[in-house]
Amino acid sequence: MALVNSKEMFKKALNEGYAIPAFNVCNMESVQAVAEVANEKNAPVIIAVSEGAGKYAGYDYIRAIVEVASKHCSSDIVLHLDHGKTFEACKAAIDAGFTSVMIDGSSLPYEENIAETKKVVEYAHARNVTVEAELGKIMGTEDLIHSDTESFTDPEEAKDFVTRTGVDSLAISIGTAHGVNKSISTPVIQYGVIENVHNAIPEVPLVAHGSSTVPAKWVDLIKKYGGEIKKSQGISEEDIVKMSKSAICKINMDTDLRLAHTAGVREDLALNPGHFDQRDFNKAGKKYVKEQIAHAFELVVGK
Ligand code: G3H
Ligand code: 13P
Ligand code: ZN
């Protein structure tokens, strides 16, 4: 099917009360894994590329790989820049042919977040690219993304923000967090915040970041085969199901795919000391990544 922007995908998700999973990728194997599972599920999907992943692989390389993947996939794919920190980062992704971008101005003062977001919206909309912005602070660390503080999204501010920026979707802070260790115990999701923000901006699809469940099976395999993960805590699977049925239209997962891939690679190398062909251990990593993605689809879209 086609590479599309998120407009129609979100409209349907919002009207019918489900969410679209967004999976972070950084290379050919991860793109293939997402597209192959989306094809098996016959379900739309968002392929997310962070600025860090863009630096690693190149936006143009990823765009080309995703374009080929979309030809092998029966469902629509959105190619999305995740956590673009500046107008320039968003412009680079748009110019490379991304169909959706996130401008994450959540660490900026409010008026600056509005100004930067507005600039991205103008550039993106003129090129048929949809824009996600962020309001409120989501905790956690992943490479280039970091926040020590959390502040839940304010509904009135959200209304003012979307009215003044014309943004297509909004990432909100609701108690999820980036990374492998989200909280000292199971994070408490703020369903009241989701509801109040939705009531303030009912037409705007909402986005949950930091939604990995950090499955014990991957963490345990990594540790069993020599890896070190000191503390780990994910979002509960029940919350992923519940969030997907709320006004949240996009659920972001990155950490779970990293864990699955690393578990596969470590296991393969530990069990097969003779392996030195990267196709062997990448195949093993990809197999677990596909298993993880398939499970995430079950939680988020129920199939
Ligand atoms: O939400 C953030 C991304 O998962 C961060 O990815 O470590 O490639 O910057 P990164
Ligand atoms: P996780 O660290 O929970 O996978 O979050 C991913 C994310 O929010 C990507 O933007
Ligand atoms: Zn995120």
Side-chain angles (χ1 to χ4, degrees):
M1 286 285 272
L3 263 185
V4 296
N5 70 27
S6 60
K7 209 161 193 81
E8 293 306 315
M9 224 182 249
F10 281 160
K11 200 192 228 176
K12 197 160 182 299
L14 190 60
N15 288 341
E16 294 177 23
Y18 64 93
I20 314 282
F23 300 108
N24 283 70
V25 303
C26 64
N27 58 14
M28 182 188 73
E29 287 79 3
S30 47
V31 171
Q32 285 176 330
V34 176
E36 285 168 18
V37 179
N39 183 52
E40 284 158 21
K41 302 275 179 185
N42 197 20
V45 74
I46 297 169
I47 291 185
V49 180
S50 68
E51 277 197 60
K55 285 198 180 93
Y56 174 77
Y59 293 141
D60 52 351
Y61 274 87
I62 292 283
R63 156 76 201 201
I65 294 167
V66 172
E67 180 141 15
V68 176
S70 73
K71 297 202 170 93
H72 293 272
C73 185
S74 57
S75 50
D76 284 335
I77 295 179
V78 170
L79 175 57
H80 175 76
L81 174 68
D82 189 31
H83 292 284
K85 283 290 183 189
T86 58
F87 170 79
E88 288 70 28
C90 293
K91 181 178 181 301
I94 293 168
D95 293 349
F98 279 44
T99 58
S100 168
V101 291
M102 174 187 193
I103 171 70
D104 176 2
S106 59
S107 59
L108 298 172
Y110 184 64
E111 290 297 330
E112 283 176 40
N113 188 0
I114 288 193
E116 194 74 354
T117 301
K118 222 171 142 183
K119 204 167 145 192
V120 172
V121 168
E122 275 161 23
Y123 191 79
H125 283 181
R127 289 155 183 84
N128 198 28
V129 170
T130 38
V131 182
E132 172 185 333
E134 178 169 324
L135 205 53
K137 284 194 169 57
I138 298 167
M139 290 266 280
T141 300
E142 256 174 301
D143 196 5
L144 304 176
I145 320 296
H146 176 75
S147 178
D148 284 329
T149 53
E150 180 174 60
S151 69
F152 299 132
T153 307
D154 177 73
E156 282 314 307
E157 205 168 73
K159 191 171 178 178
D160 181 63
F161 187 88
V162 298
T163 310
R164 289 171 63 193
T165 58
V167 80
D168 301 287
S169 60
L170 190 67
I172 57 173
S173 172
I174 48 171
T176 60
H178 290 111
V180 76
N181 188 34
K182 300 186 182 305
S183 168
I184 46 167
S185 59
T186 311
V188 179
I189 305 302
Q190 306 296 314
Y191 291 99
V193 174
I194 300 176
E195 207 180 313
N196 293 340
V197 174
H198 177 56
N199 288 339
I201 45 170
E203 310 296 330
V204 180
L206 305 178
V207 176
H209 280 251
S211 298
S212 277
T213 58
V214 189
K217 68 175 176 181
W218 307 135
V219 173
D220 292 348
L221 269 180
I222 290 172
K223 288 184 182 165
K224 179 175 173 187
Y225 293 114
E228 221 178 68
I229 293 178
K230 287 201 172 67
K231 287 182 185 158
S232 57
Q233 174 65 59
I235 307 295
S236 76
E237 294 199 344
E238 292 69 30
D239 279 319
I240 299 298
V241 173
K242 205 170 157 188
M243 283 196 289
S244 302
K245 291 182 176 150
S246 74
I248 297 287
C249 290
K250 171 172 175 266
I251 304 251
N252 287 14
M253 294 172 170
D254 183 350
T255 299
D256 284 355
L257 276 56
R258 296 175 181 199
L259 290 170
H261 187 83
T262 303
V265 170
R266 281 193 175 275
E267 184 179 56
D268 182 77
L269 291 174
L271 298 182
N272 305 284
H275 277 180
F276 59 86
D277 181 338
Q278 63 266 45
R279 288 172 294 189
D280 290 324
F281 54 79
N282 279 334
K283 213 187 287 172
K286 184 179 161 189
K287 179 169 173 263
Y288 284 165
V289 171
K290 284 184 72 173
E291 191 179 316
Q292 180 58 38
I293 293 171
H295 186 58
F297 265 106
E298 279 158 27
L299 298 175
V300 174
V301 289
K303 65 176 182 182

